[in-house]
Amino acid sequence: MTDALFFSTLQAQTQDARNAMLSAPIFEACRRGQVDLNTYTAFLVQAYHHVKHTVPLLMACGARLPEKYEWLRQDIGEYIEEEKGHHEWILNDLNKCGFDAGQARHNVGEGAVGLPIEMMVAYLYHQIDRKNPMAFFGMVWVLEGTSVSVGGDMAKLVKHLLGLPDAAMSYLTSHSTLDVEHIGFFESLMNKITDPADQKAIVDGANRVFALYGQMLRDLPVLSASQAA
């Protein structure tokens, strides 16, 4: 790694993977109005299947951190308190959209997890358990960084295009706001990480999650130009 503050290094060394994720057709489809309720609920289903693991992953990460990261373990405890129950927000959004949220809760039918998210979650548990628990923070950078950079705009577009009530948008709108606060805190945490092996684990984790999350976005159903017309 370079002598720069680590957060800047993390941004630079994951930029290509981030750009690849942002090239997923769903972003342009939203701008062109080529999305429908099915697109949105398909996204929420996959969001549910990774968000429900946020607290368990945080707990697992905290348990595996070495003693030198006791300070970070304390911050993880605060993060857990903030993240509790967010997967339930998604189920509520699905219900408000007329989707049977029970299918997502029970991982069946149209509510089933897709391969990219299943592999993303499995990868993170594996890194925490068998490799380096610091890899978890790569996922934090992907999800919170993306939420801050494009999540708010996408939420507004989807709400406008689909005419959805606020009650059906709680996850997207709340996270685009919450994560603005989180990302500054995350930057301060990352700039305290000086161990090259831990820095590499975070960068590698982020690049892997960018790829898998990007594949999930590519799998989302979008309308053709004629269907959207």
Side-chain angles (χ1 to χ4, degrees):
M1 298 294 173
T2 69
D3 292 331
L5 289 174
F6 176 55
F7 184 70
S8 295
T9 302
L10 175 62
Q11 289 177 300
Q13 296 194 358
T14 59
Q15 188 64 46
D16 288 347
R18 180 178 182 274
N19 289 342
M21 181 200 71
L22 292 175
S23 71
I26 185 62
F27 295 106
E28 187 60 28
C30 284
R31 297 184 186 99
R32 294 185 177 184
Q34 293 174 245
V35 297
D36 61 7
L37 192 60
N38 186 46
T39 309
Y40 179 54
T41 56
F43 167 78
L44 288 178
V45 165
Q46 298 311 309
Y48 170 77
H49 285 296
H50 69 76
V51 172
K52 71 179 181 181
H53 288 282
T54 301
V55 169
L57 283 166
L58 281 163
M59 290 177 169
C61 177
R64 297 286 294 178
L65 288 177
E67 187 175 354
K68 69 177 181 178
Y69 285 126
E70 183 61 30
W71 61 269
L72 183 55
R73 200 178 347 259
Q74 299 302 314
D75 290 316
I76 285 175
E78 294 179 17
Y79 194 11
I80 287 170
E81 287 301 314
E82 289 191 14
E83 293 296 317
K84 283 180 179 177
H86 288 196
H87 58 298
E88 296 290 341
W89 296 359
I90 300 174
L91 295 180
N92 290 335
D93 288 346
L94 284 167
N95 279 325
K96 294 295 184 182
C97 291
F99 185 94
D100 178 8
Q103 291 189 66
R105 187 185 293 278
H106 298 294
N107 193 26
V108 296
E110 293 181 358
V113 64
L115 183 62
I117 293 301
E118 189 168 38
M119 292 299 99
M120 184 181 93
V121 171
Y123 166 79
L124 291 165
Y125 278 117
H126 177 72
Q127 293 301 305
I128 290 169
D129 187 49
R130 296 297 183 92
K131 299 288 186 178
N132 188 328
M134 296 298 285
F136 169 80
F137 292 97
M139 183 197 76
V140 177
W141 167 231
V142 172
L143 298 182
E144 296 198 348
T146 301
S147 179
V148 168
S149 61
V150 299
D153 290 340
M154 290 299 105
K156 290 175 185 176
L157 272 174
V158 169
K159 186 176 189 298
H160 173 72
L161 288 168
L162 303 182
L164 293 171
D166 291 341
M169 300 288 300
S170 60
Y171 170 71
L172 269 185
T173 55
S174 64
H175 271 254
S176 61
T177 302
L178 283 173
D179 290 342
V180 170
E181 301 172 8
H182 286 174
I183 206 67
F185 181 60
F186 177 75
E187 178 177 355
S188 70
L189 291 183
M190 292 300 96
N191 284 337
K192 296 177 184 177
I193 307 300
T194 58
D195 186 307
D198 293 337
Q199 291 179 345
K200 184 177 186 302
I202 295 169
V203 169
D204 290 348
N207 282 325
R208 182 70 69 181
V209 173
F210 269 125
L212 290 167
Y213 195 77
Q215 186 57 56
M216 180 276 285
L217 294 173
R218 286 181 171 80
D219 290 346
L220 293 175
V222 298
L223 302 175
S224 66
S226 61
Q227 289 173 314

